[in-house]
DNA sequence: AACGAGGTCAACCGCGACGAT
DNA sequence: TATCGTCGCGGTTGACCTCGT
């Protein structure tokens, strides 16, 4: 039993390791059509050379649109501390109380940030709580009933089909920023190939060199990423505007997700700080702006962008 | 500039549980 | 009831990154 899933992953020498951009697109497109769940079937039907387990993990921990990006806030850390003190290493349970955070993320945060600050005696007791059969303390949070949080009996619900939760991803770069930085605000042409193939009115792409202080070159500080893609809707259809900070990577997944969910939200603004630079080089497009007259740090890789648009395809025919 | 140590985090692995047949 | 397929959880790994020397 325990090895069944493992075996199915081994079967046919399925791919392992970091996900590529193309795989992400395939997975997203499939989920867009059929919703998440039934991972084994999904893995086969989507054409991905991945096992269902891997697909599920990628979705849950990385591609889900309702994920909150950026560092754990002090408030969130307090919640983690509190809940961990109550429940021990019940990461999925803790994650349920922290919308937008995954169990993996919380677990990693605990191990790399919190645990090392605590004396071993302190964290080991809470970590052992569950194994010792300690009863889970009732929550002080509005949430599932305390009966429902008894240990592993809690059956994690299948993630709901994608809903429009992009407001959670609101970027730190606002329109206001843009208007305040005219000196670096220049328009570039549409993605010709993309627009034609997708059938979407992609009227313009703004490459805004936003030099405000919130823009950081530290790719790991995702809070500070200033990339922004706006999906704008008007009578003529939808078009997309992309704003970015200099010297940071424009994450293609963001574009994809905006289009992915754009159908459901007429006007969506999203943060493009999805993913990290290190996950996979192919999952990010280095937006170095070939269209800029002035600058050296903003170029764009239209081929890659075109590939993206082609890959995800138009909304209306999905 | 080069290198090593330590940190971070996406992804993997093993396992237990559950539902369907 | 037994078996099978699927799913989700928690622990662990390892590639990549940053920082100090």
């Amino acid at each position: 039993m325990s090895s069944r899933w493992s075996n199915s992953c081994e079967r046919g020498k399925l791919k392992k390791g970091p996900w590529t951009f193309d795989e992400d697109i395939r997975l997203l497109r499939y989920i867009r059509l059929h919703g998440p769940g039934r991972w084994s079937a999904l893995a086969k039907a989507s054409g991905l050379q991945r096992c269902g387990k891997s697909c599920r993990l990628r979705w849950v921990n990385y591609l889900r649109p309702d994920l909150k990006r950026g560092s754990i806030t002090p408030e969130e850390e307090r919640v983690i501390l509190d809940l961990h003190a109550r429940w021990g290493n019940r990461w999925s349970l803790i994650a349920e109380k922290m919308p937008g955070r995954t169990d993996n993320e919380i677990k990693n945060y605990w191990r790399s940030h919190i645990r090392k600050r605590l004396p071993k005696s302190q964290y080991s007791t809470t970590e052992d709580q569950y194994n010792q059969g300690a009863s889970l303390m009732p929550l002080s949070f509005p949430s599932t009933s305390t009966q429902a949080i008894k240990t592993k009996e809690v059956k994690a619900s299948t993630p709901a089909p994608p809903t429009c939760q992009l407001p959670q991803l609101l970027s730190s770069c606002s329109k206001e920023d843009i208007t305040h930085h005219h000196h670096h605000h220049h328009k570039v042409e549409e993605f010709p190939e993309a627009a034609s193939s997708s059938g979407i009115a992609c009227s313009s792409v703004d490459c805004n060199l936003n030099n405000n202080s919130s823009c950081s070159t530290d790719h790991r500080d995702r809070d500070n990423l200033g990339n922004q893609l706006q999906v704008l809707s008007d009578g003529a259809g939808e078009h997309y505007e992309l704003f970015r900070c200099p010297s940071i990577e424009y994450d293609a997944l963001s574009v994809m997700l905006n289009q992915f969910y754009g159908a459901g939200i007429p006007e969506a603004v999203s943060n493009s700080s999805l993913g990290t630079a290190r996950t996979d080089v192919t999952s990010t497009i280095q937006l170095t702006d070939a269209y800029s007259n002035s600058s050296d740090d903003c170029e764009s890789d239209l081929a890659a962008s075109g590939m993206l648009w082609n890959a995800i395809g138009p909304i209306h025919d999905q």
Side-chain angles (χ1 to χ4, degrees):
Chain A
M1 172 167 67
S2 65
S3 59
R4 270 191 218 121
W5 185 302
S6 309
N7 288 342
S8 72
C9 288
E10 288 157 15
R11 217 179 288 148
K13 295 193 174 159
L14 295 173
K15 194 180 168 197
K16 296 198 289 188
W19 279 66
T20 65
F21 178 53
D22 181 59
E23 288 175 314
D24 281 341
I25 287 177
R26 277 178 181 271
L27 181 56
L28 272 172
R29 291 194 74 171
Y30 191 89
I31 290 175
R32 179 181 172 185
L33 286 169
H34 302 100
R38 307 188 62 80
W39 298 106
S40 296
L42 181 156
K44 287 172 196 153
S46 64
L48 286 161
Q49 301 301 308
R50 296 272 184 175
C51 66
K53 197 172 181 175
S54 183
C55 294
R56 176 190 160 270
L57 203 70
R58 185 63 177 173
W59 169 256
V60 167
N61 287 337
Y62 193 83
L63 294 175
R64 247 170 54 202
D66 58 337
L67 292 181
K68 190 187 286 182
R69 303 288 168 171
S71 310
I72 300 280
T73 66
E75 272 99 307
E76 287 175 318
E77 184 180 312
R78 277 193 288 277
V79 173
I80 293 172
L81 277 166
D82 182 29
L83 295 183
H84 189 271
R86 295 163 189 267
W87 299 337
N89 297 357
R90 308 271 66 80
W91 305 116
S92 59
L93 206 53
I94 293 171
E96 280 180 26
K97 307 303 162 201
M98 301 182 66
R101 300 296 185 184
T102 68
D103 54 353
N104 208 31
E105 191 176 13
I106 294 167
K107 177 175 60 183
N108 282 334
Y109 187 80
W110 171 265
R111 296 181 72 88
S112 60
H113 290 88
I114 299 179
R115 195 171 75 165
K116 66 185 178 190
R117 298 205 304 262
L118 299 175
K120 188 174 189 319
S121 57
Q122 194 171 336
Y123 69 71
S124 61
T125 50
T126 52
E127 286 184 354
D128 289 346
Q129 227 175 45
Y130 175 70
N131 292 335
Q132 303 292 327
S135 61
L136 296 166
M137 312 231 345
L139 268 180
S140 57
F141 297 83
S143 61
T144 52
S145 69
T146 48
Q147 282 96 346
I149 26 176
K150 261 208 224 152
T151 72
K152 287 192 160 186
E153 294 139 33
V154 180
K155 170 84 177 163
S157 57
T158 304
T163 53
C164 302
Q165 298 180 55
L166 281 172
Q168 284 188 11
L169 302 175
L170 279 174
S171 164
S172 58
C173 282
S174 65
K175 270 279 190 186
E176 204 174 326
D177 294 331
I178 292 155
T179 57
H180 289 161
H181 294 274
H182 287 300
H183 58 290
H184 272 142
H185 188 205
H186 54 282
K187 231 167 212 189
V188 297
E189 293 172 35
E190 63 189 276
F191 302 147
E193 185 189 350
S196 60
S197 66
S198 69
I200 288 173
C202 183
S203 64
S204 71
V205 175
D206 282 354
C207 180
N208 175 48
L209 297 185
N210 186 338
N211 285 333
N212 73 25
S213 59
S214 70
C215 297
S216 164
T217 54
D218 181 357
H219 296 187
R220 303 184 68 158
D221 187 355
R222 289 178 287 179
D223 277 344
N224 286 339
L225 288 178
N227 293 337
Q228 184 178 45
L229 181 94
Q230 295 196 346
V231 182
L232 304 172
S233 192
D234 54 29
E238 289 172 318
H239 68 278
Y240 301 79
E241 291 188 0
L242 169 68
F243 308 103
R244 65 179 289 273
C245 298
S247 307
I248 59 179
E249 285 168 340
Y250 154 55
D251 188 15
L253 281 176
S254 177
V255 181
M256 180 168 54
L257 284 174
N258 271 278
Q259 189 176 6
F260 188 72
Y261 291 98
I265 23 180
E267 191 168 306
V269 181
S270 99
N271 190 340
S272 68
S273 62
L274 295 166
T276 62
R278 51 172 285 215
T279 302
D280 179 11
V281 217
T282 62
S283 73
T284 32
I285 295 174
Q286 185 72 38
L287 190 69
T288 46
D289 185 6
Y291 292 84
S292 164
N293 349 336
S294 63
S295 156
D296 26 16
D297 62 4
C298 183
E299 308 160 62
S300 55
D301 184 341
L302 290 193
S305 299
M307 176 197 76
L308 165 73
W309 287 87
N310 287 329
I312 191 71
I315 291 166
H316 56 259
D317 76 353
Q318 296 292 311

